[in-house]
Amino acid sequence: MILINENYTKLPGSYLFSDIARKVNEFKTAHPDASIIRLGIGDVTKPLPQASIEAMHKAVDEMADAATFRGYGPEQGYDFLVNTIVENDYKTRGLDISTDEVFVSDGSKSDTGNIGDILGLDNIVAITDPVYPVYVDTNVMAGRAGDLRENGKWSKIVYLPCTAENDFVPSLPTEKVDIIYLCYPNNPTGTTLTKDQLKIWVDYALKNKALILFDSAYEAFITESNVPHSIYEIEGAKEVAIEFRSFSKTAGFTGTRCAYTVVPKALMGYTKSGEKVSLNKLWNRRHTTKFNGVPYIIQRAAEACYSVEGKKQVKATIDYYLNNAKIIREGLSTQGLKVYGGVNSPYIWVKTPDGMTSWGFFDYLLNELNVVGTPGVGFGPSGEGYLRLTAFGTLENTKEAISRLKKISI
């Protein structure tokens, strides 16, 4: 008899974005002439930087020659990319991250989900609410979440509400927790923490021997000086935090897949008897066992993002999306809607009008204005009454979407 992992049966029927895709496809089938503008899923529309394209072409040519052909590469990433990451993303900020603390992967989504492989099932997990669904769902799959209650919360997960009432700044948990997921700039709310606010969490983790899983996939969108680009800017963070970074939203790698995770050697986990164990060593073992590395061609493309021309091209893309975010934020504010995010982030978090539910507002926008957003409640109970819009569309579609949204008549 084939026994299954019964934790999977506890998950809701489908992934949030699958539900959205189904609704949109059903609407499109019923209204084939409708011009739908999608500002829901966080996929990008700008092409890869030209520097990356040129690097990929060169790498492809190398793969065509036996003298320069590459087969299996180092699972942790080629030295040329890892060294470039360390020099540009950390040393330029005065941060001491070594090359053997960096692990190149195929995406932050993968790593934030897979990191649980090296962590015990008895850990108490805390998440900000609303939250990126992968953090919750992968803990459900592993068996750390307990059971889903009628209020939409899992029985063993500690929820840290982030709403307008607390300026989207989570409070420290009132009960001891072992693993804390933080994502800043935040997905989905687009809000941030200052260095002083993030220090509170690092201090908590140091005091309680807790682990912070810090998703920094949107770091490149930061525009304000008091917002940290890396959690390692906070003293002591190397002893308690793992950081996840991605090329997806910064350089358009959503379809080519490249990211990296930093696991400091100073970071320790513990056995039940209290013995210290290096999480860096555990992740290296997991990474080399279950992953064969990002393709050479893709890593050369990622490396090119750090070239002089690559940096200019990436910045131009980021500025393009931030301009879209500004258009959305200001356009909705003019409509009298309460809007958050969009300053240090490509995400805009909108309060639904007149007490509408998240899905109610989603349906209204889709059916009446042919604009697709993401219902806030899909990110957790505290997301009810909000909708997420993204700045990753084209400038033309962004302007057209705002033109349509000005017709809101609720």
Side-chain angles (χ1 to χ4, degrees), residues 69 145 393:
F69 172 78

Side-chain angles (χ1 to χ4, degrees), residues 177-209:
V177 300
D178 306 298
I179 301 171
I180 304 156
Y181 286 83
L182 297 177
C183 173
Y184 290 98
N186 184 255
N187 178 15
T189 67
T191 56
T192 59
L193 295 183
T194 65
K195 292 180 181 179
D196 288 342
Q197 290 168 335
L198 186 54
K199 184 179 185 301
I200 291 172
W201 287 97
V202 171
D203 289 346
Y204 173 91
L206 287 166
K207 180 180 179 181
N208 292 279
K209 294 183 179 179

Side-chain angles (χ1 to χ4, degrees), residues 39 45-46 220-223 249 314-332 339 341-348 389-402:
L39 299 181
T45 53
K46 296 289 284 181
F221 291 86
I222 293 172
T223 62
K249 309 303 169 64
V314 169
K315 185 179 185 303
T317 296
I318 297 296
D319 289 345
Y320 181 93
Y321 292 137
L322 284 174
N323 182 57
N324 283 352
K326 181 180 179 181
I327 291 171
I328 297 171
R329 189 178 69 249
E330 292 181 352
L332 295 177
V339 184
V343 176
N344 299 289
S345 166
Y347 295 121
I348 298 89
L389 296 174
T390 84
F392 290 123
T394 64
L395 177 61
E396 295 74 21
N397 280 348
T398 298
K399 289 180 176 179
E400 172 61 22
I402 291 303

Side-chain angles (χ1 to χ4, degrees), residues 50-237:
Q50 185 60 30
S52 294
I53 293 295
E54 293 172 1
M56 290 177 75
H57 280 298
K58 181 179 179 181
V60 169
D61 289 338
E62 291 179 33
M63 298 296 277
D65 186 336
T68 53
F69 172 78
R70 305 282 184 126
Y72 289 123
E75 294 92 343
Q76 302 90 335
Y78 284 99
D79 287 344
F80 62 78
L81 178 56
V82 173
N83 289 334
T84 301
I85 287 169
V86 169
E87 288 294 328
N88 288 271
D89 289 345
Y90 294 100
K91 286 192 176 180
T92 56
R93 298 189 181 279
L95 303 177
D96 183 22
I97 298 297
S98 60
T99 56
D100 56 356
E101 294 174 320
V102 175
F103 299 83
V104 176
S105 74
D106 63 351
S108 290
K109 178 180 181 179
S110 303
D111 285 358
T112 56
N114 291 330
I115 199 70
D117 284 5
I118 66 171
L119 302 171
L121 297 183
D122 294 333
N123 286 303
I124 303 300
V125 174
I127 61 165
T128 54
D129 176 34
V131 73
Y132 183 43
V134 171
Y135 307 160
V136 175
D137 290 357
T138 53
N139 277 290
V140 174
M141 294 171 180
R144 295 187 194 88
D147 299 305
L148 185 61
R149 295 169 173 164
E150 291 185 4
N151 63 1
K153 296 182 178 182
W154 293 88
S155 60
K156 290 185 178 180
I157 289 180
V158 175
Y159 289 78
L160 310 169
C162 296
T163 63
E165 286 67 35
N166 63 2
D167 293 325
F168 300 96
V169 177
S171 299
L172 292 174
T174 55
E175 56 189 289
K176 188 179 182 300
V177 300
D178 306 298
I179 301 171
I180 304 156
Y181 286 83
L182 297 177
C183 173
Y184 290 98
N186 184 255
N187 178 15
T189 67
T191 56
T192 59
L193 295 183
T194 65
K195 292 180 181 179
D196 288 342
Q197 290 168 335
L198 186 54
K199 184 179 185 301
I200 291 172
W201 287 97
V202 171
D203 289 346
Y204 173 91
L206 287 166
K207 180 180 179 181
N208 292 279
K209 294 183 179 179
L211 171 65
I212 297 174
L213 300 177
F214 192 75
D215 189 346
S216 188
Y218 304 96
E219 164 274 334
F221 291 86
I222 293 172
T223 62
E224 297 178 319
S225 60
N226 66 337
V227 177
H229 288 256
S230 168
I231 194 170
Y232 303 123
E233 294 178 39
I234 311 302
E235 185 178 358

Side-chain angles (χ1 to χ4, degrees), residues 19-31 34-39 356 358-375 387 389 404-405 408 410:
D19 289 338
I20 293 172
R22 176 181 53 79
K23 279 179 169 279
V24 173
N25 288 335
E26 289 173 354
F27 178 83
K28 186 68 175 176
T29 299
H31 305 85
S35 175
I36 298 175
I37 297 177
R38 302 170 188 260
L39 299 181
M356 288 188 74
S358 293
W359 278 108
F361 194 41
F362 170 90
D363 289 336
Y364 170 80
L365 294 182
L366 174 61
N367 291 292
E368 301 300 323
L369 304 179
N370 303 160
V371 174
V372 178
T374 306
L387 185 97
L389 296 174
R404 295 182 190 182
L405 291 169
I408 292 175
I410 300 173

